[in-house]
Amino acid sequence: MLRVGLLGAGRIGQVHAVNIVRNVRSSLAAVSDIHASAAEELAAKYGCAARSSDEIINDPEIDAILIATSTDTHSDLIEAATAAGKAVLCEKPVDLSLARAKACLAASKGTSSPVMIGFNRRFDPSFAYLKEQSVNGEIGKSELLSLTSFDPAPPPVSYIKVSGGLFRDMMIHDFDMANFLMGDRPVTIRAVGTSQVDPAIGEAGDVDTAVVTMTYSDGRIAVIKNSRRAVYGYDQRIELLGSDGLLQANNILENTVTKSTTAGVVSGKPVHFFLERYMPAYAAEWEAFVEATLSGAPVPVSLEDGIAALAMAEAATLSLQSGQTVDVEY
Amino acid sequence: MLRVGLLGAGRIGQVHAVNIVRNVRSSLAAVSDIHASAAEELAAKYGCAARSSDEIINDPEIDAILIATSTDTHSDLIEAATAAGKAVLCEKPVDLSLARAKACLAASKGTSSPVMIGFNRRFDPSFAYLKEQSVNGEIGKSELLSLTSFDPAPPPVSYIKVSGGLFRDMMIHDFDMANFLMGDRPVTIRAVGTSQVDPAIGEAGDVDTAVVTMTYSDGRIAVIKNSRRAVYGYDQRIELLGSDGLLQANNILENTVTKSTTAGVVSGKPVHFFLERYMPAYAAEWEAFVEATLSGAPVPVSLEDGIAALAMAEAATLSLQSGQTVDVEY
Amino acid sequence: MLRVGLLGAGRIGQVHAVNIVRNVRSSLAAVSDIHASAAEELAAKYGCAARSSDEIINDPEIDAILIATSTDTHSDLIEAATAAGKAVLCEKPVDLSLARAKACLAASKGTSSPVMIGFNRRFDPSFAYLKEQSVNGEIGKSELLSLTSFDPAPPPVSYIKVSGGLFRDMMIHDFDMANFLMGDRPVTIRAVGTSQVDPAIGEAGDVDTAVVTMTYSDGRIAVIKNSRRAVYGYDQRIELLGSDGLLQANNILENTVTKSTTAGVVSGKPVHFFLERYMPAYAAEWEAFVEATLSGAPVPVSLEDGIAALAMAEAATLSLQSGQTVDVEY
Amino acid sequence: MLRVGLLGAGRIGQVHAVNIVRNVRSSLAAVSDIHASAAEELAAKYGCAARSSDEIINDPEIDAILIATSTDTHSDLIEAATAAGKAVLCEKPVDLSLARAKACLAASKGTSSPVMIGFNRRFDPSFAYLKEQSVNGEIGKSELLSLTSFDPAPPPVSYIKVSGGLFRDMMIHDFDMANFLMGDRPVTIRAVGTSQVDPAIGEAGDVDTAVVTMTYSDGRIAVIKNSRRAVYGYDQRIELLGSDGLLQANNILENTVTKSTTAGVVSGKPVHFFLERYMPAYAAEWEAFVEATLSGAPVPVSLEDGIAALAMAEAATLSLQSGQTVDVEY
């Protein structure tokens, strides 16, 4: 049984709390939050204690720390938790600063604590199945990967301003998914991006629509499309073309009902909310962390993976600024 | 080269004319119609002669007769054409009277002329592929067949009154399709039917919505659903459940475009018009007739097949009237 | 907060236990089972007591009884629980004997206790949405209903022998669904059925493949297809044709991945296991019971509904035996 | 009635011949080909004359010239035909040399002859419907266009060597489609491309897998994916994201049959052959040319359109060579 301290009682922290409690091999021991009332409310719901992050990290009765706080605290908390000998699952991104993230890696490397980064989409049942099919050679040698990730609506501009930009905040999921599916990291990245959804996003120095193309040392190519707005729902699709075929993972729909009238055939939209879309993925992610931690196996998404995605986001940001192709430095 | 005389220059006659002309092994020699102007117009279009049915049937330069006249003339024309030694393709149904159709069969049997009945749906590429998959054992032993045939809109009540009723006029296609797909003829039929689409249809003594269940000597079951109105288009589907799986043939859509908005995901409707839906089937049907006639092979849909479908329509009509199960007599 | 006693700790009892615990307005107070160890194991998992049915029913600290025992005990337990003033949710069917079920209704009517029957499919999100669309007039007046329910594999013949037959055991769900969707009960039923899946089922006096057609006083028609075997998964579909269109509820697939190769385009199968398929339905059913019980509103599926479905199953059984149409007596 | 001379009796010339003959407002007057026997065979089939290109172009009885010869002859033939006062429909691309194409434009501009370029895909019913939906504002303001064009199999390397490369030979269709759908021409292009399908293609100096991203003056973005090999069929899809929704045009499948077994749900593949896929498009293209020519309206795809696509192909080729972003010069 893994006794878990949860740092962060916000929206995503609440999702993790449910999975910690439901998993038969983990229990929720304590919760912290910078808003004490949020921690207390969540703790009360699950019958555990609301405490400070420091207390939780240093409690010898706690085995693992789940970091679901704001991004700027991630590196510090990973370092503290690993120094205290805890297994760590940290939400993405590791950090907005690649340098800081690398320092965090160096520090945590010196400990024996496993650190897993919360790229939940790897654990989506359909995406994981697509990966499995690819690895099994069902479409031969993979050649061209396409990722489509459209959010239903942009976040507030106030959030955009502190988000690190679309590549670090949103496309970072796709960078990691590309690494996951291609089993390799790209050597070059070129990004185009514009602000079309909301002028305020452009004024804040960010883009809301972007396409990134990436090339690999063996000639493979990947392309990622992001938009902050798809009014019809959360649009999350994958296409992988190989020498023997094509794999596609399509959206999960609100329902299975179609209505045929003179106006056309209407079917359900993609589910709208990312938590609804990826709820099974979060549960599977947590199970994977529990399994690795209890068995001593390597975690399936390492801190290095988190840093690779961050390096790719940085390269894409540079490419967007320069208008040119950028060699990624990991 | 098959020299063809076309009897009937109406809507369906015009479809056949195109296929006769396009087929590299057939040519259109003459056209007749009870409306001389219709025959002349069609003849002019394809550079052939407008003549009387009698002249066409008795012209030694003509090899084959395509009968696309009104149903009440079919039996007489089949008898005349076969007596004159012509190969015949006759539109369905053979006759509204089962007795008359059987007499026609007896008469034509005495000649050496092949007679094919125009159950065009057997030649629909998707339906034919489904049949082929079934015959190949792709779903093991077939067990339960479901046919859905909904017309976009009912015909005029004046037509309904002379049509012979829904079972002889509309479901007869499905009776033949069931025989085609099951490779056998049912032993019992029970029909339910009501008039829901248009009260005038009920007042004319017919139904516009009907379900027929049929059982086979080996325990298999088939069910046919008909409606005279599906406002979204011509709805033509097949499902065949077998011991090892399910085969389904779905509708052909107007286009392949989907539109996703806040209102839902809208895709194309089934094509609306039966001629558009079954145009490739009519061409393939004609090719099959030409091939059989020129090679001397048996025609793929015999006069006996037409009579079997008619016997089933008669049994369904009896079942509807009595409210009870009817043993089909072929 | 509804304090719940659960009778029956088998497969379906365990599903209910999860939903009782997860629902924020209900708690699991006690569990019973004829196998004491099963009750103890489930009770231990959720930190409640394992007790006898009698103790649970008569405990004044318990508000509601969930009956998930074998069918032959349902009527007795409903009577005991309602006599003790408990709200009741009882798994379907009420009883294999229509007479016994009616007596149970008479007895429970004399109490003030609500009794809900567990026709879980009414609460399936897609089926409920289809119903809502129909009630909202999205397809005009409904005319023709088709229900397809194929199980992935037949149960053991030992189960078949005590099941009451396909109509009472399996199609009863579809009878209730028809009542739910049509908002009315049929006046006539005719059934055809054969044993094609497993000869042992036929030898046990039951059928494994069946089609039932039903007519309504206003001329509407419904058809239900059942098979005990669909090797590709649990096939659960609805089609409702109306004057202004068609509503269809399709299957939930294992995943959203399609693979296109020279062999064709392969997509996910329907989920195989009914518990997986209907898990959200069971949770929504429980929430509906909790809401009705706590608010004092009528339960959404009454004991009368359960009896109506049973009467239809009885009529279908008679029709199968006689080969004729049967008027349903409720 | 438009009397047409067809230059080129190869595969694509034969497709055009059928459409010329079938169209009620055009007739096939003469055919030429560098292989005299090919011209004679085609001429015999349709009862017209086989002649030299010169004779055809200069025959006053001929109104229009359809150029379906090899690419290197296009510019010369356009100039000769327009000088002779003929309306011209010329297969794409105009020329492999942008400079030569521009000179051709200059020459033909001096005449009063309309010149249409055969970008057949604009006339595909689904693509045209998508365009119409976009123009009608069904998805608001367009923002992000994605084109997927995968051929079933690469052409022979001997063809690759004289093709002008993937961008001029294959992606040129997508460049035109982007212009058609966006209603504007991109300002920048960046291309990545590799040889993964066949090393011989790489050795010939070409790529077989490529992704091109393009930006527009108003901030919109387009991305095109090409592969020379999609073993499952001819994969031709469009996605257009707008402020109010998404339009997608999907593939046309071989048939509408799905087979569900334990191995999954298998449906038809995309049709394999481009002529089958785009046959209705070729007929509609021809009708559009006939209509414009006879009515005196502008042709729907101008020589300028052909040159724009060529300029984009040239820019993509430069970008591929330099690895950098290229401003397109039209």
Side-chain angles (χ1 to χ4, degrees):
Chain A
M1 178 65 70
L2 203 67
R3 294 161 302 180
V4 183
L6 170 63
L7 313 187
R11 191 169 63 174
I12 193 67
Q14 293 169 33
V15 168
H16 286 301
V18 170
N19 289 325
I20 293 167
V21 170
R22 284 192 190 167
N23 193 295
V24 294
R25 293 193 287 170
S26 64
S27 63
L28 186 59
V31 179
S32 73
D33 199 279
I34 51 167
H35 303 291
S37 63
E40 280 155 19
E41 196 176 325
L42 192 57
K45 187 167 181 183
Y46 294 107
C48 69
R51 299 161 69 189
S52 75
S53 298
D54 272 2
E55 286 173 335
I56 292 173
I57 287 172
N58 293 304
D59 183 343
E61 298 295 309
I62 284 176
D63 307 309
I65 301 293
L66 198 162
I67 303 174
T69 55
S70 63
T71 299
D72 57 341
T73 66
H74 286 181
S75 291
D76 290 347
L77 291 171
I78 291 172
E79 289 177 4
T82 53
K86 310 302 190 202
V88 173
L89 173 60
C90 181
E91 267 300 316
K92 63 95 228 172
V94 179
D95 205 293
L96 294 185
S97 156
L98 181 56
R100 179 68 189 91
K102 286 181 171 175
C104 176
L105 172 63
S108 72
K109 277 272 185 187
T111 75
S112 60
S113 296
V115 179
M116 175 165 155
I117 302 302
F119 282 118
N120 56 299
R121 295 184 192 177
R122 291 192 183 204
F123 302 93
D124 174 80
S126 290
F127 295 171
Y129 180 74
L130 186 149
K131 159 83 172 178
E132 183 189 311
Q133 293 274 300
S134 168
V135 167
N136 289 352
E138 295 283 336
I139 57 161
K141 190 181 77 64
S142 66
E143 294 171 350
L144 177 54
L145 173 69
S146 304
L147 303 177
T148 299
S149 296
F150 299 158
D151 281 350
V157 172
S158 57
Y159 173 82
I160 294 277
K161 286 177 179 167
V162 300
S163 70
L166 179 140
F167 299 114
R168 288 187 188 88
D169 177 60
M170 181 176 174
M171 199 179 282
I172 197 156
H173 275 295
D174 303 293
F175 290 134
D176 181 67
M177 183 55 69
N179 293 345
F180 176 58
L181 294 175
M182 297 295 255
D184 195 6
R185 294 170 183 172
V187 289
T188 74
I189 284 185
R190 52 183 78 186
V192 299
T194 54
S195 171
Q196 299 183 70
V197 171
D198 183 351
I201 293 175
E203 288 157 17
D206 202 1
V207 295
D208 49 41
T209 311
V211 176
V212 164
T213 49
M214 311 194 293
T215 57
Y216 293 77
S217 59
D218 57 1
R220 289 183 298 165
I221 301 173
V223 56
I224 302 170
K225 297 184 293 173
N226 271 190
S227 170
R228 289 284 194 184
R229 179 182 59 199
V231 299
Y232 51 91
Y234 192 44
D235 192 349
Q236 302 278 302
R237 285 171 288 146
I238 297 174
E239 283 195 20
L240 182 56
L241 177 69
S243 54
D244 294 341
L246 178 76
L247 289 168
Q248 294 170 291
N250 296 305
N251 286 309
I252 294 173
L253 306 183
E254 290 172 339
N255 59 57
T256 68
V257 176
T258 61
K259 177 176 64 179
S260 302
T261 68
T262 53
V265 178
V266 183
S267 49
K269 292 180 287 184
V271 296
H272 200 80
F273 190 41
F274 82 95
L275 285 181
E276 185 182 3
R277 170 68 179 81
Y278 284 120
M279 193 57 80
Y282 281 111
E285 173 189 87
W286 180 249
E287 169 60 22
F289 175 75
V290 170
E291 171 61 23
T293 302
L294 293 180
S295 72
V299 290
V301 196
S302 67
L303 190 44
E304 285 86 346
D305 288 326
I307 287 170
L310 201 56
M312 291 156 75
E314 192 135 318
T317 305
L318 282 174
S319 174
L320 179 69
Q321 288 161 355
S322 69
Q324 299 304 343
T325 307
V326 169
D327 294 330
V328 196
E329 291 181 38
Y330 294 98
Chain B
M1 177 67 68
L2 203 66
R3 295 162 300 181
V4 183
L6 171 63
L7 312 187
R11 191 170 62 174
I12 194 67
Q14 292 169 34
V15 169
H16 286 300
V18 171
N19 290 324
I20 294 167
V21 171
R22 284 193 189 166
N23 193 297
V24 294
R25 293 192 288 169
S26 64
S27 62
L28 185 59
V31 179
S32 73
D33 198 279
I34 52 168
H35 303 291
S37 64
E40 279 155 19
E41 196 177 324
L42 191 58
K45 188 168 179 182
Y46 294 107
C48 70
R51 299 162 68 190
S52 76
S53 296
D54 272 1
E55 286 174 335
I56 292 174
I57 287 172
N58 294 303
D59 182 342
E61 298 294 309
I62 285 177
D63 308 307
I65 301 292
L66 199 160
I67 303 174
T69 54
S70 62
T71 299
D72 57 340
T73 64
H74 286 180
S75 293
D76 289 347
L77 292 170
I78 290 173
E79 288 177 4
T82 53
K86 311 303 189 200
V88 174
L89 173 60
C90 181
E91 267 301 316
K92 64 93 224 169
V94 178
D95 205 292
L96 293 186
S97 156
L98 181 56
R100 180 68 188 90
K102 286 181 172 176
C104 176
L105 172 65
S108 71
K109 278 271 185 187
T111 75
S112 60
S113 295
V115 179
M116 174 165 156
I117 302 302
F119 282 118
N120 58 299
R121 295 186 192 175
R122 291 192 183 204
F123 302 93
D124 174 80
S126 290
F127 295 171
Y129 180 74
L130 186 149
K131 159 85 171 177
E132 183 189 311
Q133 292 275 300
S134 169
V135 167
N136 289 351
E138 295 284 336
I139 57 161
K141 191 181 77 65
S142 66
E143 295 171 349
L144 177 55
L145 173 69
S146 304
L147 303 177
T148 298
S149 295
F150 300 158
D151 280 351
V157 171
S158 57
Y159 174 82
I160 293 276
K161 286 177 179 167
V162 299
S163 70
L166 180 139
F167 299 114
R168 286 187 189 87
D169 177 60
M170 180 177 175
M171 199 179 281
I172 197 156
H173 275 295
D174 304 292
F175 290 133
D176 182 67
M177 183 56 67
N179 292 346
F180 176 58
L181 294 175
M182 298 296 257
D184 194 7
R185 294 170 183 172
V187 290
T188 75
I189 283 186
R190 50 184 80 186
V192 298
T194 54
S195 171
Q196 300 183 70
V197 171
D198 184 350
I201 293 174
E203 287 158 17
D206 200 1
V207 295
D208 49 42
T209 311
V211 175
V212 165
T213 50
M214 311 194 294
T215 58
Y216 293 76
S217 58
D218 57 1
R220 289 184 296 165
I221 302 173
V223 56
I224 302 171
K225 295 183 295 173
N226 270 192
S227 169
R228 288 284 193 185
R229 178 182 59 200
V231 298
Y232 52 89
Y234 192 44
D235 192 350
Q236 301 279 301
R237 286 171 288 146
I238 298 174
E239 283 194 21
L240 182 56
L241 177 69
S243 55
D244 294 341
L246 178 76
L247 288 169
Q248 294 169 291
N250 296 304
N251 286 309
I252 294 174
L253 306 183
E254 290 172 339
N255 59 56
T256 69
V257 176
T258 61
K259 177 176 65 178
S260 302
T261 68
T262 53
V265 177
V266 183
S267 48
K269 290 181 287 184
V271 296
H272 199 81
F273 190 42
F274 83 94
L275 285 181
E276 184 183 2
R277 170 66 180 84
Y278 284 120
M279 194 55 82
Y282 281 110
E285 174 189 85
W286 180 249
E287 168 60 22
F289 175 75
V290 170
E291 170 60 25
T293 303
L294 293 180
S295 72
V299 291
V301 196
S302 68
L303 189 44
E304 284 87 346
D305 289 325
I307 286 170
L310 201 57
M312 292 157 74
E314 192 133 318
T317 306
L318 282 176
S319 175
L320 180 68
Q321 288 160 355
S322 69
Q324 298 305 342
T325 306
V326 169
D327 293 331
V328 196
E329 290 180 40
Y330 295 97
Chain C
M1 178 64 70
L2 203 66
R3 295 162 301 182
V4 183
L6 170 62
L7 313 186
R11 192 170 62 174
I12 194 67
Q14 291 169 33
V15 168
H16 286 300
V18 170
N19 289 324
I20 293 167
V21 169
R22 283 191 190 167
N23 193 295
V24 294
R25 294 192 288 170
S26 64
S27 63
L28 185 60
V31 180
S32 73
D33 198 278
I34 51 167
H35 303 293
S37 63
E40 279 154 22
E41 195 177 326
L42 192 58
K45 187 167 180 182
Y46 294 108
C48 70
R51 299 161 68 189
S52 76
S53 297
D54 272 1
E55 285 173 336
I56 291 173
I57 287 172
N58 293 304
D59 182 343
E61 298 295 308
I62 283 177
D63 306 309
I65 301 294
L66 199 162
I67 303 174
T69 53
S70 61
T71 299
D72 57 341
T73 65
H74 286 181
S75 292
D76 290 345
L77 291 172
I78 290 172
E79 288 177 3
T82 54
K86 311 303 189 201
V88 173
L89 173 61
C90 181
E91 268 300 317
K92 64 93 222 169
V94 178
D95 206 291
L96 293 186
S97 157
L98 181 54
R100 180 68 190 91
K102 286 181 172 176
C104 176
L105 172 63
S108 71
K109 276 272 184 187
T111 74
S112 60
S113 295
V115 179
M116 175 165 156
I117 302 302
F119 281 119
N120 57 299
R121 295 186 193 176
R122 290 193 184 204
F123 302 94
D124 174 79
S126 290
F127 294 171
Y129 180 75
L130 186 150
K131 157 86 171 178
E132 183 190 311
Q133 293 274 300
S134 169
V135 167
N136 288 352
E138 295 283 335
I139 56 161
K141 190 179 80 61
S142 65
E143 295 170 349
L144 178 54
L145 173 69
S146 305
L147 303 178
T148 299
S149 295
F150 299 158
D151 280 350
V157 172
S158 57
Y159 173 83
I160 294 276
K161 287 178 179 167
V162 299
S163 70
L166 180 140
F167 299 114
R168 286 188 189 88
D169 176 61
M170 180 177 174
M171 200 181 279
I172 196 155
H173 275 295
D174 303 293
F175 290 134
D176 181 67
M177 182 56 68
N179 293 346
F180 176 60
L181 294 175
M182 297 297 255
D184 195 6
R185 293 169 184 174
V187 289
T188 74
I189 284 186
R190 52 183 79 185
V192 298
T194 53
S195 172
Q196 300 182 69
V197 171
D198 184 351
I201 293 176
E203 287 157 18
D206 201 3
V207 294
D208 49 42
T209 311
V211 175
V212 165
T213 50
M214 311 194 293
T215 58
Y216 294 77
S217 59
D218 58 1
R220 290 183 296 165
I221 301 172
V223 57
I224 302 172
K225 296 183 294 175
N226 270 191
S227 170
R228 290 282 193 185
R229 177 182 59 199
V231 298
Y232 52 89
Y234 192 45
D235 192 348
Q236 302 279 302
R237 286 172 288 145
I238 297 174
E239 283 196 21
L240 182 57
L241 177 69
S243 55
D244 294 341
L246 178 75
L247 289 168
Q248 294 169 291
N250 296 305
N251 286 310
I252 295 174
L253 306 184
E254 291 172 339
N255 59 57
T256 69
V257 176
T258 61
K259 177 176 64 178
S260 302
T261 68
T262 52
V265 177
V266 183
S267 48
K269 292 179 288 184
V271 295
H272 200 81
F273 190 41
F274 82 95
L275 286 180
E276 184 183 3
R277 171 66 180 83
Y278 284 121
M279 194 56 82
Y282 281 110
E285 173 189 86
W286 180 247
E287 169 60 23
F289 175 75
V290 171
E291 171 61 24
T293 302
L294 292 180
S295 72
V299 290
V301 196
S302 68
L303 189 44
E304 285 86 346
D305 288 327
I307 287 169
L310 202 56
M312 292 156 75
E314 193 134 317
T317 306
L318 282 175
S319 175
L320 180 68
Q321 288 160 353
S322 69
Q324 298 304 341
T325 306
V326 169
D327 294 330
V328 196
E329 289 180 40
Y330 294 98
Chain D
M1 178 64 71
L2 202 67
R3 296 161 302 182
V4 183
L6 171 62
L7 313 187
R11 190 170 64 173
I12 193 66
Q14 292 169 32
V15 169
H16 287 298
V18 171
N19 289 323
I20 293 167
V21 170
R22 284 193 188 165
N23 193 295
V24 294
R25 295 192 287 170
S26 63
S27 62
L28 185 59
V31 179
S32 74
D33 198 277
I34 50 168
H35 302 292
S37 63
E40 278 154 21
E41 194 177 328
L42 192 58
K45 186 168 180 181
Y46 294 107
C48 70
R51 299 162 67 190
S52 76
S53 297
D54 272 1
E55 287 173 335
I56 292 173
I57 287 172
N58 293 303
D59 182 343
E61 297 295 309
I62 283 177
D63 307 306
I65 301 293
L66 200 160
I67 304 174
T69 54
S70 63
T71 300
D72 58 340
T73 65
H74 287 181
S75 292
D76 290 347
L77 291 171
I78 291 172
E79 288 177 3
T82 54
K86 310 302 189 202
V88 174
L89 172 61
C90 180
E91 267 300 317
K92 64 93 222 169
V94 179
D95 205 292
L96 294 185
S97 156
L98 181 56
R100 180 67 190 90
K102 286 181 171 175
C104 176
L105 173 63
S108 71
K109 277 274 185 187
T111 76
S112 60
S113 295
V115 180
M116 176 165 154
I117 302 302
F119 281 118
N120 58 299
R121 296 186 192 176
R122 291 192 183 205
F123 302 93
D124 174 80
S126 290
F127 295 171
Y129 180 74
L130 186 150
K131 158 85 171 177
E132 183 190 311
Q133 292 275 301
S134 169
V135 167
N136 289 352
E138 295 284 337
I139 57 160
K141 191 181 78 64
S142 66
E143 294 171 350
L144 177 55
L145 173 69
S146 303
L147 303 177
T148 299
S149 296
F150 299 158
D151 280 351
V157 172
S158 57
Y159 173 82
I160 293 277
K161 286 178 180 166
V162 299
S163 70
L166 180 140
F167 299 114
R168 287 187 189 88
D169 176 62
M170 179 177 176
M171 199 180 282
I172 197 156
H173 275 295
D174 303 293
F175 290 133
D176 182 67
M177 183 55 68
N179 293 346
F180 175 59
L181 294 175
M182 297 296 256
D184 196 7
R185 294 169 182 172
V187 290
T188 74
I189 283 185
R190 53 184 77 187
V192 299
T194 54
S195 171
Q196 299 182 70
V197 171
D198 183 350
I201 294 175
E203 286 157 19
D206 201 1
V207 295
D208 49 42
T209 311
V211 176
V212 165
T213 50
M214 311 194 292
T215 58
Y216 294 77
S217 59
D218 58 2
R220 288 183 298 166
I221 301 173
V223 56
I224 302 170
K225 296 183 293 174
N226 270 191
S227 169
R228 288 284 193 185
R229 178 183 59 199
V231 297
Y232 51 90
Y234 192 44
D235 192 350
Q236 302 278 302
R237 286 173 288 146
I238 298 174
E239 284 195 21
L240 182 56
L241 177 69
S243 55
D244 295 341
L246 178 76
L247 289 168
Q248 294 169 291
N250 295 305
N251 286 310
I252 294 173
L253 305 183
E254 290 171 339
N255 60 56
T256 69
V257 176
T258 61
K259 177 176 66 179
S260 302
T261 68
T262 53
V265 178
V266 183
S267 48
K269 292 181 285 182
V271 295
H272 200 81
F273 189 40
F274 83 94
L275 285 181
E276 184 183 3
R277 170 68 180 83
Y278 284 121
M279 194 55 81
Y282 280 110
E285 174 189 86
W286 180 249
E287 168 61 22
F289 175 74
V290 170
E291 170 62 24
T293 303
L294 292 180
S295 72
V299 291
V301 196
S302 68
L303 189 44
E304 285 87 346
D305 288 326
I307 287 170
L310 201 57
M312 291 157 74
E314 192 133 319
T317 306
L318 282 175
S319 175
L320 180 68
Q321 288 161 353
S322 69
Q324 298 305 342
T325 306
V326 169
D327 295 329
V328 195
E329 289 181 39
Y330 294 98

